[in-house]
Amino acid sequence: MPASLKLDRISKSFGTTKVLDEVDVEIRAGEFVSIVGASGCGKSTLLRIIAGLETQGAGHVRLDEVVVDAMAPRERNVAVVFQNYALYPHMTAFENIATPLATSRLSLYERLPVLGRLSRRRAKIRAGIAADVAAVAAQLRIEALLDRKPGQLSGGQRQRVALARALVRRPSLFLMDEPLSNLDAQLRVHMREEITELHSRLGATFVYVTHDQVEAMTMSDRIVMMDKGRVAQIGSPSDLYDRPATIAVARFIGSPAMNFLPAAADSSGALFHADRRLPVDTDRAGPVVVGLRPENVAIGPVYEGAALVGRIRRVEHHGHDRLVHLDLQSPLGGMLSARVSATDALSDPAEGCFVAVDFTGPAHVFDGDGLRRTSKVVRLGFGRIDTAAEAAE
Amino acid sequence: MTAAAALDKTPALERPAGFRPSRAVREALAGSLFATPAVVLLLATILAPLIALVVLSFTDYELGAVDVRWLGGDNYRQALGDPVFRRAVSNTLLYVALVLPGGILLGLLAALAVHGRKKSRGFYETAYFLPVTATLIAMAAVWQFLLHPRIGPVNAVLKAVGLPEQAFLSEPSLLIPTLAFIGLWNVVGFNMVLFLAGLSGIPKDLYDAAEVDGAGGSVDRFLTVTWPMLAPTTLFVAVTTSITAFKVFDTVAVLTGGKNGTEVLLYAIYLEGFQYFKMGYAAALTVIFLLFLLVFSVFQAVKLDRRVHYT
C-alpha cells in the first residue's frame, strides 16, 4: 500500500549551520514528488530525515498520519536508492537484492554464517526469498546478472540492482537520492522514462531528490523547490515554470535559464529599465527584477524609441531553434538571451548586429526580497514603446 | 603509402645506408636499457646475497676460516635431526599461533573502539601506537620488572586477588606464552592503525543501506558491511603479523637468552652464526627460515593479486 507523507515543520542544524528551516510538505499516497534545489539547499538531508537515517532537530515526520520520528528506517517501511547505489561490493547482485528480505524473514541467529545452518526452517525461507528475488529481477530484466558482483556490472546495471533491492520488499515509500547522477546522458534519459514507468506500474509513493531541474520537470507530479533550507515553492512542474514564486525558483527552473533585468516601478506601477519604459506594469513602486524566459523575448530590426536594444554576441544553434545571446545597449549593461525559431525571418542574425528587443510572453517581476509580484505585460510583440516622457503624459 | 610510413622513410635518406634495425627491435633495445638499472640493483642487493646464502648452506664455512669444504646436504640433515633446532621451530610456530589471531582480533577491536571517537581518537591512536615506536629491547626491561616474581606488580596483583603467583620468565611452560603476550602488546597498535585505515575506507553509504535493509543492529552491521569490507585489510594484517611473529628475536635475546627451552628460529640462527661462528650451518637454518616466510609471502601475493577486493 502506498503511504502518504507529511512533513511538519522539520528543522535541522549541523552545529551552528541551519540546514533545514521549518519545512512543511504534504505528499499524497501514490504521488511522484521531486525535491529540487542547488547543492547545499538541504534536500538530501531532508530525504535522510524522511528515511530515518538522520534525526530532525524539530518537527515531525508522518507516514499515513502516524508519527514515525522514533522509528528506525526499517520499521518505516521505506526503501532508499542511493546516489552511488551503495550496493554491498562483496555480495552478488542476488545477495544484494535478498538482503532486505533475509533481515526481515530470518532471525539474527539464522543469518549467522555457520550457526544459521542449524535452523531447520532456514532452507524453506531461503527458497521463498530466492523466488521473490527472481520475480523482481524479471521485472527489471536483470535475471542474467544475478550471479555477478557489483564490480562486474556497468553503471546502468548497478542502478537496476539498486532499484531491485529497493523494490523487493514492497515498501510503501520510495526515496531516491539523485539516482541518475552517475549515469551518462543517454542512459539518464532512458532511466528517467523507466523510473516514471515503474512509478505508474507500482502506484507507490516516490520522493525523488535531484539537482537536475529537467529530471524534476519531466518525471514529477509535483515539485518541491528548496532554497537555503526552506521550501521556496511547491507545485506542479508548470506552476513552477509559469509562475515561479521567488527569484530562486525562476533562476533554477527552465533551460536555457531565465533572463533578469533590473528595473524600477514608479508610483503607477509602470516599469523602467534605465529610464526606458518596459512594456510591463506591476502593483506598486520600488526597485524590482524583471524575469523573462528566452522564448518570450523577440528580436527585430532596431526602430526609433525601442525600449531595449542589444548587440548580438553569439548565436547558438539548437536545430529546431536558436539561442541568441545579446549584450544590452543600456547604461546598466547586462545580457539577455532570446530563443528564436529557426524559420524566423531573423533566424540567422549576424554576430555584432544591433537588434531591438521586445517581449512576446509573460514577464515575471520580483521585488527586492526576491518574492514574486503581480505583473501585467501591457503590450506583447513589436511596436513602438512609450518613452518615459510619453508615459507621463 | 601511409603517412607514418612516409615519415619513417624520410630520415633514411640522410643516414648512411647499411644497418638499420626495425622499429620493434629498436624499441626492445631502448626498453631493456631503461630497465637495466632496476635489474642490476635487484640482482646486487637481493638475489645475489640470496644465492650466496644458499651456496654457503652447503658448506662448512666458518667465520674467518681459510679453507671451505663442500658438504652437500649435511647441514640440512643435521638441522632436521637437531633437537634444539626442532624445539626452535615448534616454539616459533607456537609463538606465531598465539600472536597471529590475538594480534588480528585485538587490533580490530581497538580499531573499532577508536574509530567512533572524534575528539579522543588522536590520543588513543598515539597511545596504542607507542609500543610500536618504543624499542622492544628497552621495553623488555620494563616487562622484566613487571613480571618479576618478587617485586613485579603483576604478581602482586595476582596475589592480591588470591591467585597463585607465577614465574612468568622462568617456568618453561609459561615462557613462550609470556613472550607471545609481549609480542602482542607490541603489534596490536600497528594492526590497529592498519584497521583504522581500512575502516575509514568503507563508504558511509553502505551503512546507510544496511540500516534501510534492516541490518542496522551492531552484529548485522558488522557482518554485512564492516567485516567483509575489511577483508583485504585483514589479509594484509594477517600476513604482516605472521611475518613479524616469525622474526621474534629481541625479547628472547633479552629476557630469556634462549634458556629453559625458549629457542626460536631467529635466535638459533644467531647463536650458530654469530656465537659459534658456524656460518655454513647458520646459512642452512636461514634457508629453512626463509622457506617458512615464503609460504606466507606467496599466500599474500596470490591472494592479493586475485584481490579479495571488489571494485
Side-chain angles (χ1 to χ4, degrees):
Chain A
M1 274 299 287
S4 67
L5 170 69
K6 194 171 169 197
L7 301 177
D8 192 4
R9 296 163 76 90
I10 300 281
S11 297
K12 173 82 181 173
S13 301
F14 290 119
T16 52
T17 330
K18 198 149 205 178
V19 193
L20 292 174
D21 192 6
E22 307 225 324
V23 173
D24 274 315
V25 177
E26 257 185 82
I27 295 171
R28 292 185 289 276
E31 219 178 354
F32 192 126
V33 172
S34 293
I35 302 178
V36 292
S39 54
C41 70
K43 56 188 192 295
S44 286
T45 309
L46 190 60
L47 186 95
R48 293 174 60 80
I49 288 173
I50 301 172
L53 292 169
E54 199 96 59
T55 38
Q56 64 270 32
H60 302 291
V61 179
R62 288 191 173 84
L63 283 173
D64 279 335
E65 302 301 325
V66 178
V67 175
V68 295
D69 297 344
M71 289 187 191
R74 187 51 205 268
E75 300 167 62
R76 301 185 185 196
N77 196 21
V78 298
V80 184
V81 177
F82 295 90
Q83 183 171 4
N84 304 314
Y85 318 134
L87 297 173
Y88 308 117
H90 55 284
M91 295 184 190
T92 62
F94 175 89
E95 290 163 335
N96 264 287
I97 302 169
T99 301
L101 295 181
T103 53
S104 64
R105 296 185 193 172
L106 294 166
S107 70
L108 177 57
Y109 112 83
E110 284 169 328
R111 295 201 297 278
L112 290 179
V114 184
L115 225 58
R117 282 166 207 273
L118 299 176
S119 160
R120 248 177 278 143
R121 47 167 220 150
R122 185 171 180 266
K124 201 174 155 201
I125 296 172
R126 284 241 164 240
I129 291 174
D132 286 359
V133 171
V136 166
Q139 211 175 1
L140 288 162
R141 296 188 297 285
I142 50 169
E143 301 103 312
L145 309 174
L146 287 179
D147 294 335
R148 299 203 203 157
K149 293 197 172 166
Q152 301 163 292
L153 299 174
S154 71
Q157 292 168 333
R158 282 183 216 182
Q159 170 79 71
R160 281 163 200 277
V161 174
L163 277 172
R165 182 174 65 177
L167 274 176
V168 75
R169 61 189 165 89
R170 304 170 202 281
S172 48
L173 177 62
F174 275 88
L175 304 171
M176 304 202 180
D177 188 6
E178 312 223 8
L180 305 185
S181 58
N182 287 344
L183 302 178
D184 64 54
Q186 218 180 344
L187 196 55
R188 205 178 307 163
V189 175
H190 177 74
M191 286 308 288
R192 223 153 69 189
E193 281 171 36
E194 215 163 300
I195 291 176
T196 325
E197 211 178 281
L198 193 68
H199 170 250
S200 52
R201 198 165 64 219
L202 296 171
T205 315
F206 276 49
V207 176
Y208 187 99
V209 164
T210 178
H211 67 273
D212 182 350
Q213 57 97 19
V214 180
E215 283 177 20
M217 294 288 284
T218 52
M219 299 168 77
S220 348
D221 298 324
R222 286 196 303 150
I223 298 176
V224 176
M225 165 91 199
M226 304 270 302
D227 180 37
K228 301 192 190 98
R230 289 167 165 275
V231 173
Q233 191 173 0
I234 304 181
S236 70
S238 55
D239 284 344
L240 268 72
Y241 191 83
D242 296 334
R243 295 184 52 81
T246 71
I247 197 164
V249 178
R251 251 185 243 285
F252 196 83
I253 302 287
S255 169
M258 195 185 268
N259 296 297
F260 295 100
L261 283 178
D266 68 10
S267 53
S268 70
L271 288 188
F272 296 89
H273 171 78
D275 289 341
R276 299 295 189 116
R277 170 77 164 104
L278 298 174
V280 183
D281 285 352
T282 181
D283 54 349
R284 55 184 190 279
V288 294
V289 174
V290 179
L292 275 174
R293 297 231 175 257
E295 64 265 33
N296 298 330
V297 177
I299 54 174
V302 179
Y303 57 90
E304 175 72 23
L308 296 169
V309 172
R311 185 164 190 255
I312 297 178
R313 187 153 50 93
R314 197 156 47 87
V315 179
E316 272 176 37
H317 295 262
H318 287 264
H320 57 290
D321 55 15
R322 280 159 205 194
L323 199 60
V324 181
H325 296 277
L326 305 163
D327 288 321
L328 278 182
Q329 304 299 299
S330 115
L332 299 175
M335 292 183 304
L336 210 62
S337 58
R339 196 170 182 171
V340 299
S341 159
T343 55
D344 200 291
L346 259 169
S347 65
D348 209 5
E351 290 172 13
C353 275
F354 289 93
V355 289
V357 177
D358 254 309
F359 300 179
T360 60
H364 309 272
V365 176
F366 301 98
D367 65 16
D369 298 326
L371 297 176
R372 183 183 187 84
R373 272 214 211 163
T374 55
S375 65
K376 199 174 94 202
V377 175
V378 290
R379 183 170 53 246
L380 291 179
F382 272 82
R384 206 177 125 80
I385 310 278
D386 298 337
T387 62
E390 282 163 344
E393 281 171 7
Chain B
M1 197 200 299
T2 64
L7 271 179
D8 231 21
K9 204 132 210 174
T10 12
L13 296 173
E14 295 153 21
R15 273 190 212 178
F19 177 70
R20 190 172 167 283
S22 79
R23 193 192 172 103
V25 171
R26 275 181 293 144
E27 273 183 8
L29 271 173
S32 327
L33 264 172
F34 279 120
T36 310
V39 172
V40 168
L41 268 178
L42 186 74
L43 281 173
T45 60
I46 298 175
L47 293 177
L50 202 63
I51 292 164
L53 177 82
V54 173
V55 171
L56 269 185
S57 73
F58 292 106
T59 68
D60 72 343
Y61 177 69
E62 289 188 13
L63 210 56
V66 187
D67 54 322
V68 174
R69 245 175 348 116
W70 185 261
L71 292 180
D74 280 0
N75 279 333
Y76 291 95
R77 264 188 290 280
Q78 188 195 337
L80 295 178
D82 180 357
V84 175
F85 181 69
R86 290 175 122 179
R87 199 159 59 228
V89 172
S90 64
N91 278 344
T92 308
L93 289 176
L94 174 64
Y95 182 87
V96 173
L98 291 172
V99 171
L100 181 59
I104 293 176
L105 207 69
L106 292 177
L108 179 61
L109 284 177
L112 287 174
V114 170
H115 187 62
R117 315 267 115 211
K118 284 210 176 73
K119 284 185 195 142
S120 51
R121 178 168 166 168
F123 167 77
Y124 284 117
E125 258 177 72
T126 318
Y128 278 105
F129 203 68
L130 271 178
V132 185
T133 54
T135 334
L136 203 48
I137 301 254
M139 293 316 285
V142 177
W143 280 105
Q144 196 157 32
F145 161 71
L146 287 174
L147 301 172
H148 195 278
R150 273 185 297 111
I151 56 166
V154 174
N155 270 319
V157 171
L158 285 180
K159 195 173 171 188
V161 297
L163 289 169
E165 292 170 65
Q166 303 290 342
F168 291 104
L169 290 172
S170 47
E171 162 64 35
S173 67
L174 280 180
L175 277 169
I176 294 295
T178 304
L179 291 174
F181 184 83
I182 299 172
L184 212 52
W185 170 82
N186 186 44
V187 86
V188 161
F190 188 63
N191 290 352
M192 180 198 72
V193 170
L194 292 176
F195 276 121
L196 275 177
L199 282 174
S200 41
I202 301 177
K204 256 193 71 57
D205 265 11
L206 290 181
Y207 288 111
D208 286 344
E211 200 152 340
V212 172
D213 286 344
S218 44
V219 178
D220 267 324
R221 273 162 66 94
F222 183 77
L223 288 179
T224 317
V225 181
T226 312
W227 180 241
M229 293 304 287
L230 281 180
T233 312
T234 310
L235 183 68
F236 182 75
V237 168
V239 171
T240 53
T241 305
S242 47
I243 289 177
T244 312
F246 254 100
K247 296 199 293 194
V248 56
F249 175 77
D250 15 20
T251 42
V252 178
V254 177
L255 289 177
T256 72
K259 286 187 278 288
N260 300 324
T262 54
E263 302 87 349
V264 290
L265 274 173
L266 218 54
Y267 195 75
I269 294 169
Y270 159 77
L271 280 184
E272 296 295 343
F274 296 93
Q275 297 298 312
Y276 314 145
F277 303 115
K278 298 200 289 190
M279 290 310 258
Y281 186 54
L285 300 190
T286 308
V287 170
I288 296 173
F289 173 72
L290 285 179
L291 285 177
F292 275 111
L293 287 191
L294 199 65
V295 173
F296 287 93
S297 306
V298 167
F299 177 74
Q300 179 197 25
V302 170
K303 267 293 199 185
L304 281 192
D305 251 14
R306 255 196 296 146
R307 310 276 307 178
V308 188
H309 221 227
Y310 315 112
T311 39

